[in-house]
Amino acid sequence: ALDRSDLIFDFTNIIEKRFSESRNADYFAKEMNISYKHLNNVCKQTLNKTAKTFIDEYIVLAAKRYLVCYDMSVRQISDATGFDEATNFVKYFRKHTGMSPGQFRNMYGSFNKQT
């Protein structure tokens, strides 16, 4: 059996490869051939957060990276992060960061820097 750190390492790797396919922790647990409950318990014990929170944080970080490092439209970032609708991506991003993708890019982005 994998120890907790191996399981978290595998979980992180699968999120990196598949985060655009799902934001559902159960999906990733199935991909790892473990139960959602086991995955969630290991995340809580090891990371002090739920599997879902870990996935959301990863996706938000990826979105932030796209916004700041690449000249991509919100629509393109929405697609790249696995959202069917740009509006859903914007709502998700706002829920997790307190600002819209545009506001975030204006604050931190290299493409819209005021000179």
Side-chain angles (χ1 to χ4, degrees):
L2 291 172
D3 74 7
R4 288 195 312 211
S5 59
D6 288 336
L7 198 141
I8 295 297
F9 183 76
D10 289 350
F11 183 41
T12 304
N13 278 337
I14 203 157
I15 292 170
E16 286 173 359
K17 290 186 187 90
R18 302 265 184 90
F19 71 91
S20 66
E21 294 172 28
S22 181
R23 292 178 296 284
N24 185 323
D26 194 48
Y27 168 89
F28 290 101
K30 284 190 173 90
E31 290 294 309
M32 296 169 68
N33 295 313
I34 59 174
S35 72
Y36 164 76
K37 187 177 176 189
H38 181 58
L39 176 61
N40 212 37
N41 285 339
V42 169
C43 286
K44 285 182 196 169
Q45 291 163 357
T46 313
L47 306 170
N48 291 321
K49 59 186 73 164
T50 64
K52 175 67 175 143
T53 299
F54 187 70
I55 294 163
D56 287 338
E57 287 176 357
Y58 186 90
I59 291 170
V60 169
L61 184 65
K64 286 178 174 179
R65 221 177 268 138
Y66 288 135
L67 286 162
V68 174
C69 301
Y70 301 96
D71 192 10
M72 294 170 74
S73 69
V74 169
R75 169 83 246 169
Q76 288 170 311
I77 295 168
S78 168
D79 290 343
T81 50
F83 287 83
D84 293 334
E85 297 289 332
T87 53
N88 293 341
F89 166 71
V90 171
K91 280 184 217 154
Y92 177 89
F93 190 88
R94 187 186 298 274
K95 176 183 161 195
H96 290 282
T97 64
M99 61 180 88
S100 72
Q103 289 168 317
F104 183 86
R105 178 176 268 162
N106 287 338
M107 197 174 286
Y108 301 105
S110 53
F111 289 102
N112 291 332
K113 280 252 188 322
Q114 303 297 316
T115 47

Short mmCIF file of all heavy atoms in Angstrom, two decimals, residues 1-11 32 34 38 42 45-46:
data_model
loop_
_atom_site.label_atom_id
_atom_site.label_comp_id
_atom_site.label_asym_id
_atom_site.label_seq_id
_atom_site.Cartn_x
_atom_site.Cartn_y
_atom_site.Cartn_z
N ALA A 1 0.85 -1.20 0.00
CA ALA A 1 0.00 0.00 0.00
C ALA A 1 0.88 1.25 0.00
O ALA A 1 1.95 1.25 0.59
CB ALA A 1 -0.91 0.00 1.22
N LEU A 2 0.39 2.27 -0.66
CA LEU A 2 1.12 3.54 -0.71
C LEU A 2 1.03 4.24 0.64
O LEU A 2 0.01 4.19 1.30
CB LEU A 2 0.48 4.47 -1.74
CG LEU A 2 0.61 4.11 -3.21
CD1 LEU A 2 -0.25 5.03 -4.05
CD2 LEU A 2 2.05 4.18 -3.64
N ASP A 3 2.12 4.86 1.04
CA ASP A 3 2.00 5.69 2.24
C ASP A 3 1.40 7.03 1.84
O ASP A 3 1.21 7.32 0.67
CB ASP A 3 3.33 5.80 3.01
CG ASP A 3 4.35 6.70 2.34
OD1 ASP A 3 4.02 7.36 1.33
OD2 ASP A 3 5.48 6.74 2.83
N ARG A 4 1.09 7.83 2.85
CA ARG A 4 0.37 9.08 2.58
C ARG A 4 1.11 10.01 1.63
O ARG A 4 0.51 10.59 0.74
CB ARG A 4 0.07 9.82 3.90
CG ARG A 4 -0.99 9.13 4.71
CD ARG A 4 -1.54 9.99 5.80
NE ARG A 4 -0.52 10.64 6.61
CZ ARG A 4 -0.66 10.93 7.88
NH1 ARG A 4 -1.76 10.63 8.52
NH2 ARG A 4 0.30 11.54 8.54
N SER A 5 2.42 10.14 1.80
CA SER A 5 3.15 11.08 0.95
C SER A 5 3.16 10.59 -0.51
O SER A 5 3.06 11.39 -1.44
CB SER A 5 4.57 11.33 1.46
OG SER A 5 5.29 10.13 1.52
N ASP A 6 3.27 9.28 -0.71
CA ASP A 6 3.19 8.73 -2.08
C ASP A 6 1.83 8.99 -2.69
O ASP A 6 1.71 9.34 -3.87
CB ASP A 6 3.44 7.21 -2.09
CG ASP A 6 4.90 6.85 -1.82
OD1 ASP A 6 5.78 7.69 -2.08
OD2 ASP A 6 5.14 5.72 -1.35
N LEU A 7 0.79 8.82 -1.90
CA LEU A 7 -0.56 9.03 -2.39
C LEU A 7 -0.77 10.49 -2.77
O LEU A 7 -1.31 10.78 -3.84
CB LEU A 7 -1.57 8.59 -1.32
CG LEU A 7 -2.97 8.34 -1.85
CD1 LEU A 7 -3.56 7.14 -1.14
CD2 LEU A 7 -3.83 9.54 -1.63
N ILE A 8 -0.30 11.41 -1.96
CA ILE A 8 -0.42 12.84 -2.26
C ILE A 8 0.39 13.19 -3.51
O ILE A 8 -0.06 13.95 -4.37
CB ILE A 8 0.02 13.72 -1.06
CG1 ILE A 8 -0.92 13.52 0.13
CG2 ILE A 8 0.11 15.20 -1.46
CD1 ILE A 8 -2.36 13.94 -0.11
N PHE A 9 1.57 12.59 -3.63
CA PHE A 9 2.40 12.80 -4.82
C PHE A 9 1.66 12.34 -6.07
O PHE A 9 1.59 13.06 -7.07
CB PHE A 9 3.73 12.05 -4.66
CG PHE A 9 4.68 12.27 -5.79
CD1 PHE A 9 5.41 13.45 -5.91
CD2 PHE A 9 4.87 11.28 -6.76
CE1 PHE A 9 6.28 13.65 -6.96
CE2 PHE A 9 5.74 11.48 -7.81
CZ PHE A 9 6.46 12.66 -7.91
N ASP A 10 1.07 11.14 -6.01
CA ASP A 10 0.30 10.61 -7.15
C ASP A 10 -0.91 11.49 -7.45
O ASP A 10 -1.23 11.74 -8.61
CB ASP A 10 -0.15 9.17 -6.87
CG ASP A 10 1.00 8.18 -6.90
OD1 ASP A 10 2.11 8.56 -7.32
OD2 ASP A 10 0.77 7.02 -6.50
N PHE A 11 -1.59 11.93 -6.40
CA PHE A 11 -2.77 12.79 -6.55
C PHE A 11 -2.37 14.09 -7.25
O PHE A 11 -3.02 14.52 -8.21
CB PHE A 11 -3.38 13.06 -5.17
CG PHE A 11 -4.63 13.88 -5.16
CD1 PHE A 11 -5.64 13.70 -6.09
CD2 PHE A 11 -4.83 14.84 -4.18
CE1 PHE A 11 -6.81 14.45 -6.06
CE2 PHE A 11 -6.00 15.59 -4.13
CZ PHE A 11 -6.97 15.40 -5.08
N MET A 32 -7.17 6.91 -9.48
CA MET A 32 -6.09 6.38 -8.64
C MET A 32 -6.45 5.01 -8.06
O MET A 32 -5.66 4.43 -7.31
CB MET A 32 -5.80 7.37 -7.50
CG MET A 32 -5.27 8.71 -7.98
SD MET A 32 -5.24 9.94 -6.65
CE MET A 32 -3.96 9.24 -5.59
N ILE A 34 -8.61 4.29 -5.79
CA ILE A 34 -8.88 4.33 -4.35
C ILE A 34 -10.25 4.97 -4.14
O ILE A 34 -10.80 5.56 -5.06
CB ILE A 34 -7.79 5.14 -3.57
CG1 ILE A 34 -7.70 6.58 -4.07
CG2 ILE A 34 -6.44 4.43 -3.64
CD1 ILE A 34 -6.77 7.46 -3.26
N HIS A 38 -11.10 7.60 1.19
CA HIS A 38 -9.68 7.41 1.53
C HIS A 38 -8.84 8.59 1.04
O HIS A 38 -8.01 9.12 1.79
CB HIS A 38 -9.16 6.09 0.93
CG HIS A 38 -7.73 5.81 1.25
ND1 HIS A 38 -7.26 5.71 2.55
CD2 HIS A 38 -6.66 5.61 0.45
CE1 HIS A 38 -5.96 5.48 2.53
NE2 HIS A 38 -5.56 5.41 1.27
N VAL A 42 -6.79 11.15 3.54
CA VAL A 42 -5.34 11.37 3.42
C VAL A 42 -5.04 12.85 3.19
O VAL A 42 -4.11 13.40 3.77
CB VAL A 42 -4.74 10.48 2.30
CG1 VAL A 42 -3.31 10.89 1.99
CG2 VAL A 42 -4.80 9.01 2.71
N GLN A 45 -5.49 14.65 6.50
CA GLN A 45 -4.41 14.34 7.45
C GLN A 45 -3.08 14.96 7.03
O GLN A 45 -2.31 15.42 7.86
CB GLN A 45 -4.22 12.82 7.56
CG GLN A 45 -5.36 12.10 8.23
CD GLN A 45 -5.33 10.58 7.95
OE1 GLN A 45 -4.48 10.09 7.20
NE2 GLN A 45 -6.27 9.87 8.55
N THR A 46 -2.81 14.96 5.73
CA THR A 46 -1.50 15.37 5.22
C THR A 46 -1.43 16.86 4.89
O THR A 46 -0.43 17.51 5.15
CB THR A 46 -1.14 14.54 3.97
OG1 THR A 46 -1.39 13.16 4.23
CG2 THR A 46 0.32 14.71 3.60
#
